[in-house]
Amino acid sequence: MTSGFDILHGLRRHKIVGGELFLTTVDFFVDWGRKSSIWPLTFGLACCAIEMMASFASKFDFDRMGVFPRPTPRQADLLIISGTVVKKMAPAVERLYQEMPSPRFVVSMGACSNCGGPYYDSYSVAKGVDKIIPVDVYIPGCPPRPEALYTAVQTLQEKIDAYWDAGKQILKPVPPSEEALKKINEAAISARGS
Amino acid sequence: MTSPTTPNTPPKNHGQATLADGPVFETKIEQVGEHEMILNMGPQHPSTHGVLRVVLKLDGEVITEAVPDVGYLHRGLEKLSENRTYPMNIVLSDRNDYLSAMNNNWAFCLAVEKLLKVEIPSRAEFIRVIVGELNRIASHMVFYGTYGIDLGAFTPFLYSFGRDREEILDLFEEICGARITYNFIRVGGVMLDAPEGWIERVKAFVDRMAPRLVEYDKLLTLNPIFIDRNLGIGRLPAEKALALGLTGPNLRASGPALDLRKDHPYSVYKEFHFDVPVGKGGGDCYDRFMVRRQEITESLKIVRQACEKIPSGPVMGKVGRVYRPPAGEVFAQLEAPRGWLGSYLVSDGTERPYRHHIRAPSFINLQALSDLVKGLKVADTVAVLGSLDFVLGEVDR
């Protein structure tokens, strides 16, 4: 897996008269922008939401990673499930997820949204938000510290990087072997014959 | 005028969420007039401070009816208590009102101690007062910051929430290892004695805070736009507040100086000198803000006095690791940052409570919302919601 912060690994530099020319693929460039501006939704559920707010405040300052809260799901890339998802709230959480534009990411913050946490035997609590929506990163803790949320954002950036790596292999295919070419030709001839 | 998606329509299931098959509670509010509109606010709304849903009926821009819909964070706390032993219940009480977990620990322990008739060492009482008051300051700082954001001032949040509250959390982390959920106050005393030099660091923090409060006032309290958004908005007369059962800063903003720390002093509150700030403007949003702002000053006074008077000695009374309180029922309450926080326990002589009820101040304070926003504009709803300062964990339990 490539590093989350090395932006140069997908660029090709060319010295030209008067400066430098950077060549890259659109995939890399879009993903570089995507991972550097992960905008979460201002959506707090319970105790973890207070730690999420602390992350956005001056001491931890997630703005330096481009993480800046947005109040509407239409502008958000990331849904941080920060607290207990109870059965009454579950349809609303799912609806919020459906309202977000793709690509969208979900971070399950804390024990409650991972698996029910201290309310594992409660009649009204959904035992894990992954029963409703897909989750990208899980953070343990009750509540997790802002540093843990920081790591989650880093992990998410690495994940977005991995998307680009997967795309790179498709863009530069390995030339097919002679045997494979033979098979393709044979298949084409037999298809024409019928 | 009927919109295709009225707020009363439950969200579509999409064939994935099996959890959505639970009961759907519809808020009963009906559209009558031709010019009336129903506006849904929440459960995801940046200024409802959690997952509260309010259904507003509007005539133009004026609110004619408001129905709060609670229960989006109902975790079944009281029922769960019956499945947990008494020490395990302290963990749950942390997550009840997560902005003042120390006071919630304390309220539960007060009730159990009343059942057990256990004597608390003096040093433990003083540590309880220090952490309880520090938690009150931290809670009011959250209010100060988020209320500013609600009314369009983002900067105060960075000072109160990002700088000063973090200093209190550092002090808590030093004494019990946690930032939000402490589980520090235990039945019979406190978990651990304060580490060496902690009391001095608390004193240093109190000294640092005094000039910073002047900064707070410059930033928000005396801001002309902020004053305009608050003065005369959401007036609550004292009789009405008493009739609704409001407690805490919300009640004191309307006039009555009811404070359990003064009227029925629990713990060692008798030994401290402090004032009870009350509102003088008829109980509007600005009064509710000012009472909390002044309470920070009063709490700092109490912390300073407690740091000076704290005796040495043990911090844990004579309580066994497993205890079975005698059968009976008990009610104990204290002055939490949001009002009178009560704990009602019924014991049947086993190690688990037979029944546990929490008198949650936020839930009762929320009752005032429907009356307060009637006749106001939509933008003022945010001011009233913010000034009531409720925590949804405590409302829904």
Side-chain angles (χ1 to χ4, degrees):
Chain A
M1 186 167 284
T2 50
S3 151
F5 295 106
D6 179 19
I7 63 153
L8 288 177
H9 72 276
L11 300 175
R12 270 193 206 140
R13 289 161 162 224
H14 297 273
K15 294 247 177 191
I16 53 167
V17 179
E20 261 184 316
L21 180 72
F22 288 89
L23 287 180
T24 183
T25 58
V26 176
D27 276 11
F28 173 80
F29 189 67
V30 168
D31 279 343
W32 170 75
R34 186 169 285 153
K35 76 172 186 192
S36 314
S37 62
I38 301 174
W39 287 0
L41 179 68
T42 318
F43 174 53
L45 276 165
C47 336
C48 292
I50 307 300
E51 286 294 60
M52 188 178 75
M53 281 159 72
S55 311
F56 300 144
S58 34
K59 188 174 178 187
F60 295 97
D61 192 19
F62 274 28
D63 237 353
R64 65 205 150 107
M65 292 189 291
V67 176
F68 182 68
R70 305 300 302 169
T72 161
R74 309 280 181 207
Q75 300 172 349
D77 309 307
L78 171 63
L79 182 62
I80 302 176
I81 308 293
S82 53
T84 323
V85 181
V86 309
K87 286 178 184 168
K88 187 175 177 180
M89 192 62 200
V93 170
E94 197 215 341
R95 189 175 182 166
L96 280 173
Y97 180 72
Q98 304 288 0
E99 281 174 351
M100 284 163 66
S102 190
R104 51 201 169 185
F105 307 98
V106 179
V107 166
S108 165
M109 187 183 181
C112 286
S113 60
N114 290 348
C115 60
Y119 307 100
Y120 66 93
D121 52 349
S122 168
Y123 57 87
S124 60
V125 172
K127 313 298 182 300
V129 74
D130 50 6
K131 293 202 166 61
I132 312 161
I133 51 175
V135 176
D136 292 278
V137 183
Y138 296 87
I139 319 174
C142 188
R145 304 171 58 87
E147 290 95 328
L149 190 59
Y150 186 99
T151 313
V153 173
Q154 281 186 340
T155 313
L156 201 59
Q157 286 178 332
E158 280 173 11
K159 192 170 181 174
I160 295 171
D161 259 353
Y163 285 176
W164 177 76
D165 284 343
K168 192 170 67 175
Q169 281 169 14
I170 297 162
L171 284 173
K172 291 182 185 172
V174 184
S177 64
E178 280 192 20
E179 275 183 30
L181 276 175
K182 221 176 191 178
K183 271 184 191 171
I184 293 168
N185 281 334
E186 278 170 11
I189 290 164
S190 67
R192 204 189 299 160
S194 64
Chain B
M1 202 181 102
T2 43
S3 68
T5 48
T6 56
N8 284 345
T9 321
K12 286 264 160 51
N13 198 328
H14 297 290
Q16 290 167 10
T18 45
L19 290 162
D21 298 339
V24 174
F25 304 93
E26 292 204 8
T27 313
K28 288 189 181 69
I29 183 162
E30 279 177 12
Q31 196 172 327
V32 195
E34 197 186 339
H35 300 288
E36 282 179 336
M37 191 174 89
I38 292 170
L39 184 71
N40 183 51
M41 196 174 171
Q44 187 268 327
H45 191 281
S47 55
T48 53
H49 296 222
V51 284
L52 174 71
R53 176 174 170 229
V54 188
V55 184
L56 302 166
K57 197 202 257 183
L58 307 175
D59 185 2
E61 212 190 331
V62 179
I63 296 159
T64 52
E65 205 180 334
V67 182
D69 181 12
V70 298
Y72 285 97
L73 196 54
H74 174 65
R75 307 189 269 202
L77 208 75
E78 292 176 1
K79 188 68 190 166
L80 283 183
S81 287
E82 297 165 16
N83 254 337
R84 308 271 199 276
T85 59
Y86 288 95
M88 286 158 93
N89 263 312
I90 305 174
V91 178
L92 286 186
S93 75
D94 271 327
R95 285 140 186 93
N96 176 27
D97 172 2
Y98 35 81
L99 288 182
S100 63
M102 287 288 187
N103 289 289
N104 281 263
N105 290 169
W106 201 353
F108 181 76
C109 290
L110 267 185
V112 183
E113 282 155 8
K114 227 173 172 179
L115 269 175
L116 285 169
K117 297 188 180 63
V118 57
E119 201 173 313
I120 318 293
S122 177
R123 186 174 173 82
E125 291 280 25
F126 273 82
I127 292 180
R128 281 180 178 192
V129 168
I130 294 173
V131 293
E133 291 303 320
L134 282 177
N135 212 174
R136 188 187 312 275
I137 298 167
S139 168
H140 286 343
M141 278 175 180
V142 175
F143 164 79
Y144 175 88
T146 53
Y147 193 47
I149 291 184
D150 286 348
L151 299 183
F154 191 80
T155 319
F157 172 78
L158 300 175
Y159 285 78
S160 73
F161 203 107
R163 187 186 64 183
D164 301 338
R165 183 172 170 271
E166 289 290 340
E167 287 191 11
I168 299 180
L169 295 191
D170 287 348
L171 288 171
F172 283 158
E173 215 179 321
E174 211 176 324
I175 200 171
C176 67
R179 280 166 54 90
I180 302 275
T181 46
Y182 311 108
N183 193 15
F184 177 65
I185 295 178
R186 302 285 174 85
V187 174
V190 294
M191 182 174 85
L192 281 172
D193 200 351
E196 210 182 326
W198 189 79
I199 301 289
E200 280 69 42
R201 283 191 283 281
V202 173
K203 266 189 207 165
F205 166 76
V206 173
D207 292 339
R208 270 202 304 278
M209 267 316 287
R212 286 180 183 180
L213 287 172
V214 181
E215 210 172 37
Y216 278 30
D217 289 346
K218 277 185 194 163
L219 270 171
L220 194 64
T221 316
L222 302 173
N223 183 322
I225 302 172
F226 181 75
I227 293 174
D228 281 352
R229 287 290 306 270
N230 275 297
L231 267 187
I233 302 291
R235 276 226 167 97
L236 190 65
E239 308 82 57
K240 184 84 185 169
L242 284 168
L244 284 169
L246 260 64
T247 48
N250 290 329
L251 174 69
R252 291 195 285 275
S254 294
L258 289 177
D259 190 324
L260 283 179
R261 292 173 295 174
K262 277 271 186 215
D263 305 335
H264 302 281
Y266 51 96
S267 190
V268 283
Y269 273 108
K270 262 182 214 159
E271 300 187 20
F272 306 122
H273 301 287
F274 62 100
D275 300 324
V276 179
V278 291
K280 293 176 183 79
D284 57 3
C285 286
Y286 198 67
D287 277 336
R288 285 193 280 277
F289 172 81
M290 275 313 283
V291 164
R292 291 195 177 85
R293 159 66 192 80
Q294 287 164 355
E295 269 186 17
I296 296 181
T297 317
E298 298 305 322
S299 292
L300 286 173
K301 266 190 214 168
I302 299 174
V303 173
R304 193 194 302 268
Q305 289 171 49
C307 284
E308 276 157 11
K309 287 184 183 174
I310 187 165
S312 55
V315 292
M316 198 66 185
K318 283 182 185 124
V319 184
R321 283 193 181 269
V322 179
Y323 42 83
R324 296 181 177 80
E329 59 182 277
V330 76
F331 181 72
Q333 60 180 357
L334 54 76
E335 185 77 31
R338 280 165 194 80
W340 298 359
L341 177 66
S343 209
Y344 172 71
L345 278 174
V346 181
S347 165
D348 55 356
T350 61
E351 57 200 11
R352 293 158 210 268
Y354 177 77
R355 172 85 173 94
H356 179 206
H357 175 70
I358 302 161
R359 186 224 184 263
S362 291
F363 177 65
I364 294 158
N365 291 351
L366 190 60
Q367 287 187 100
L369 181 73
S370 305
D371 287 326
L372 283 181
V373 297
K374 228 171 256 178
L376 294 180
K377 300 276 190 332
V378 179
D380 296 331
T381 319
V382 176
V384 171
L385 272 172
S387 73
L388 284 175
D389 188 32
F390 44 80
V391 165
L392 264 297
E394 202 180 41
V395 172
D396 294 338
R397 297 196 287 287

